[in-house]
Amino acid sequence: MGKIVIRGGKPLFGEVTIHGAKNAVLPILAATVVVGGVHIIENCPELSDVSTTVEILKELGAKVTRCGDKLTIDTTCELSHYIPEKLMRKLRSSIIFMGAVLARNKKAKISSPGGCELGPRPIDLHIKALRELGAKITEEHGYLVCSADSLLGKEIHLDIPSVGATENAMLLAVAAEGTTVIQNAAREPEIEDLALFLNKMGAKILGAGTSTVTVVGRKKLTAAQHRVMPDRIVAATYLCAAAATGGEIIVRDVCPEHLSAVLAVLSDCGCMIQKGSNYIRLCAPKTLLSVSSIKTMPYPGFPTDAQSLFLAMLSKSKGTTIISETIFESRFCVAAELCRMGAKISVDSRVAVVQGVDSLYGACVSAADLRGGAALVVAALGASGKTEINSPHYIYRGYENFEENLKTLGADIAYEE
Ligand code: EPZ
């Protein structure tokens, strides 16, 4: 299993280039199934979630090769419509293949992706949206057996602006007769990136990134080439690490506008922020100030994926911060591990009260989810002494070259078997 060992207390200085966005590339890889051809996806990070998605593509019959950050996906041959449970359960976002496989094969048999460490991860909105387009979906022995003989575009309203349900609806709508309008769609930048790729394939999708997405179906589609957008949460992670260590860094190849809510809070904590067209420079104060409250919201609100990072960063600050998690049921698991490092955090259901302390100390802790694991790294970098982080495989789901990049910034960090 191995562990990450960090000797904290060293301010981070220097520059880091941000890799392609996990939450953009996963649905884009699924979208390559929609039409046969040779797709080229660039700026594709080497992450375990990407490797699992490539396994699913190969299981379906696609040929996938990697050269550096470029993936070539050949979906020309006839593809299977079945994804085995062992693969579906490895990755929550595998549900995104439901819309894509249905669009291509008019049928699909996939297992439900199951929950994850953030609490139950229902897919009712995905199923409801696809049924509204004409898909027949039955749940048999943990499998979703789907058929889509006649798909008709129509107006769909999502009860929650679900990222995955928006993406699944878009992926199926491109194959539907007529026009689909998705109301209360998720507005995340990753949705825009998926729409950009689908439009390069010949689809006609308007309004991606707003809460009303229009898809004109049955356009002639062909394979496409696309460069994945940068990962805004990975960028936020390095910025929080610099803030937690009183350092000064530049993150390059980012879209600052994707991080507005995060940068606003970092500025309120006393960090000096400088933004360029594709970089952000952060200079941290010696002591971070707490902010009265942080509330996670759908984009463009404060991202739930950055919540654990700020929980860790503000554990060492002056004052008290109240953090409300409105998106997921249990996304404060990391709080208990942070308390082992001297943090003073009390959690009541979806609210955490963080009473800032002067310093954190190293301890033996365990990651239990992707962003919680990254949060432990942020805390350990700012703590005095040695921290061992077990189960680092959670972190490798979403962070490429994490230890190497932090080492370049001056961190004393290493992976040990
Ligand atoms: C995506 O998950 C991201 N994952 C998550 O990032 C991110 O936290 C989340 O969006 C919110 O921004 C990927 O893009 C691969 P949702 P997704 O559907 O699509 C409820 C990370 O760390 N809901 O927007 O699964 C759901 O329970 C990951 O990179 C239903 O009730 O999230 C949640 O409370 C973690 N029924 C809320 O909606 C449904 O059918 C938002 O979930 C679907 C969702």
Side-chain angles (χ1 to χ4, degrees):
M1 286 291 271
K3 60 192 174 187
I4 293 175
V5 179
I6 294 170
R7 287 172 180 78
K10 298 172 180 59
L12 299 187
F13 288 105
E15 302 191 4
V16 62
T17 299
I18 301 303
H19 60 66
K22 169 180 83 77
N23 292 350
V25 74
L26 298 183
I28 285 169
L29 290 176
T32 63
V33 158
V34 171
V35 69
V38 180
H39 303 267
I40 308 277
I41 306 299
E42 293 169 326
N43 199 27
C44 180
E46 297 212 41
L47 305 168
S48 53
D49 276 8
V50 170
S51 306
T52 303
T53 303
V54 169
E55 275 183 73
I56 292 175
L57 287 171
K58 289 180 175 173
E59 180 73 26
L60 288 170
K63 295 182 188 63
V64 186
T65 53
R66 179 186 276 271
C67 177
D69 73 7
K70 187 167 82 169
L71 278 191
T72 302
I73 302 114
D74 184 348
T75 56
T76 309
C77 65
E78 191 179 339
L79 299 181
S80 161
H81 70 281
Y82 168 65
I83 302 175
E85 180 168 2
K86 68 176 170 37
L87 281 177
M88 283 297 293
R89 280 188 170 278
K90 275 173 83 173
L91 193 61
R92 152 78 195 166
S93 63
S94 55
I95 190 64
I96 214 71
F97 277 94
M98 178 161 64
V101 172
L102 265 178
R104 174 70 177 270
N105 288 338
K106 303 290 176 274
K107 60 184 180 180
K109 183 178 178 184
I110 59 174
S111 88
S112 58
C116 79
E117 52 282 339
L118 308 180
R121 300 292 289 276
I123 56 169
D124 56 315
L125 299 180
H126 296 245
I127 292 173
K128 182 166 175 267
L130 299 193
R131 280 177 172 156
E132 294 204 29
L133 291 172
K136 291 187 177 32
I137 303 173
T138 54
E139 299 178 66
E140 295 167 14
H141 314 295
Y143 270 86
L144 299 168
V145 181
C146 318
S147 64
D149 301 322
S150 67
L151 293 169
L152 206 53
K154 62 177 294 190
E155 183 159 319
I156 297 172
H157 185 276
L158 296 178
D159 299 343
I160 296 172
S162 155
V163 171
T166 302
E167 292 166 344
N168 244 330
M170 284 163 61
L171 285 164
L172 188 60
V174 299
E177 202 64 50
T179 298
T180 297
V181 179
I182 307 168
Q183 300 285 8
N184 197 28
R187 298 164 57 188
E188 274 69 4
E190 292 77 17
I191 306 265
E192 284 184 86
D193 215 32
L194 173 62
L196 202 51
F197 177 58
L198 287 168
N199 285 342
K200 285 179 182 175
M201 286 166 61
K204 187 173 179 187
I205 300 175
L206 309 166
T210 74
S211 49
T212 303
V213 176
T214 302
V215 183
V216 179
R218 305 287 296 162
K219 306 293 285 184
K220 172 97 184 74
L221 302 180
T222 55
Q225 179 158 351
H226 182 69
R227 178 178 171 78
V228 176
M229 63 174 267
D231 195 310
R232 57 196 169 99
I233 305 302
V234 168
T237 306
Y238 288 108
L239 292 169
C240 286
T245 58
E248 178 177 345
I249 69 166
I250 295 178
V251 291
R252 294 199 178 282
D253 196 8
V254 293
C255 301
E257 62 275 15
H258 291 166
L259 284 145
S260 299
V262 164
L263 297 179
V265 177
L266 285 169
S267 174
D268 291 347
C269 296
C271 296
M272 189 283 290
I273 306 280
Q274 189 184 3
K275 294 183 288 188
S277 57
N278 63 354
Y279 74 86
I280 297 166
R281 181 165 160 265
L282 176 143
C283 182
K286 196 164 172 346
T287 305
L288 288 171
L289 304 173
S290 64
V291 290
S292 55
S293 72
I294 293 174
K295 186 173 186 180
T296 65
M297 293 297 281
Y299 192 89
F302 188 91
T304 174
D305 293 347
Q307 180 260 97
S308 302
L309 307 172
F310 279 74
L311 191 73
M313 185 191 81
L314 290 168
S315 291
K316 190 180 75 171
S317 67
K318 187 170 170 43
T320 299
T321 301
I322 296 175
I323 300 181
S324 307
E325 171 57 58
T326 71
I327 308 292
F328 289 108
E329 212 160 81
S330 56
R331 199 166 198 177
F332 285 122
C333 303
V334 72
E337 297 302 291
L338 292 170
C339 290
R340 291 168 62 87
M341 300 174 69
K344 286 192 174 15
I345 304 170
S346 59
V347 174
D348 179 2
S349 178
R350 290 187 179 224
V351 179
V353 179
V354 185
Q355 191 185 333
V357 295
D358 294 338
S359 65
L360 296 176
Y361 44 77
C364 184
V365 292
S366 291
D369 67 86
L370 164 57
R371 306 303 174 186
L376 289 172
V377 171
V378 168
L381 291 168
S384 57
K386 177 180 164 185
T387 298
E388 294 185 353
I389 302 173
N390 295 299
S391 307
H393 63 279
Y394 284 106
I395 301 172
Y396 301 141
R397 288 185 44 214
Y399 292 86
E400 181 186 70
N401 298 331
F402 200 30
E403 292 99 334
E404 297 84 341
N405 287 337
L406 288 167
K407 225 176 263 176
T408 308
L409 295 172
D412 180 341
I413 180 171
Y415 172 80
E416 291 180 13
E417 281 303 334

